[in-house]
Amino acid sequence: MRDSREQTQTPDYCAIETAMEVLGGRWKLAILKQLLGGTRRFSELQRALPRITQRMLTRQLREMEADGLLTRTVYREVPPRVEYALTEAGRSLDAIADQLDTWGRWYRDTYRAAASDVAEGGGPGEEAGGI
């Protein structure tokens, strides 16, 4: 686990900070969601998350491994094969990831659609193009 000294000094009421430290960032939960489906190779994760760069995917995977969320297995083959799988701690996030996925879909469908209407001038109680 990364810098556990800092985490042990965090008061109990700041446990959300600990969770955000481990899960924060744009890609970690998306990677977690992919690995909840089973063991994946690096290239499979890249294909599943086309907007992430190779460098960022590598960085996020290393951080998640250091935090005990996943394991990295290197097979001594030519070319080398590397697989990533969730640990028990990573799998324990299944329900949380599912809830966040559900909330994200709801938010996108509800508020992004409403924001798009407002940007186009069709906000609630207004006619399109009205000032």
Side-chain angles (χ1 to χ4, degrees):
M1 182 155 223
R2 294 181 292 150
D3 198 4
S4 59
R5 180 178 41 131
E6 182 179 314
Q7 290 179 355
T8 57
Q9 294 174 352
T10 304
D12 286 342
Y13 63 85
C14 293
I16 193 84
E17 289 181 38
T18 302
M20 290 304 298
E21 183 179 320
V22 173
L23 297 172
R26 181 172 180 182
W27 296 105
K28 287 183 182 178
L29 287 169
I31 293 167
L32 178 83
K33 189 73 172 162
Q34 291 300 315
L35 291 173
L36 284 166
T39 301
R40 298 281 188 267
R41 294 177 69 172
F42 187 88
S43 59
E44 291 175 308
L45 291 169
Q46 275 187 307
R47 281 192 298 274
L49 305 166
R51 293 174 35 202
I52 191 172
T53 65
Q54 180 175 342
R55 180 174 181 251
M56 182 57 72
L57 179 57
T58 299
R59 181 178 174 191
Q60 299 290 276
L61 287 167
R62 285 181 182 160
E63 288 179 11
M64 292 173 75
E65 182 181 15
D67 287 331
L69 297 180
L70 60 84
T71 59
R72 178 180 185 264
T73 305
V74 180
Y75 295 92
R76 306 229 181 265
E77 300 174 351
V78 177
R81 179 172 48 121
V82 179
E83 292 182 341
Y84 297 90
L86 292 177
T87 63
E88 186 178 331
R91 286 189 303 273
S92 73
L93 296 164
D94 188 11
I96 294 167
D98 189 47
Q99 288 175 343
L100 284 170
D101 184 60
T102 300
W103 185 87
R105 290 172 192 274
W106 169 81
Y107 182 85
R108 180 190 60 205
D109 295 345
T110 304
Y111 287 95
R112 291 264 171 99
S116 176
D117 288 346
V118 170
E120 293 174 5
E126 296 180 22
E127 293 182 26
I131 297 181

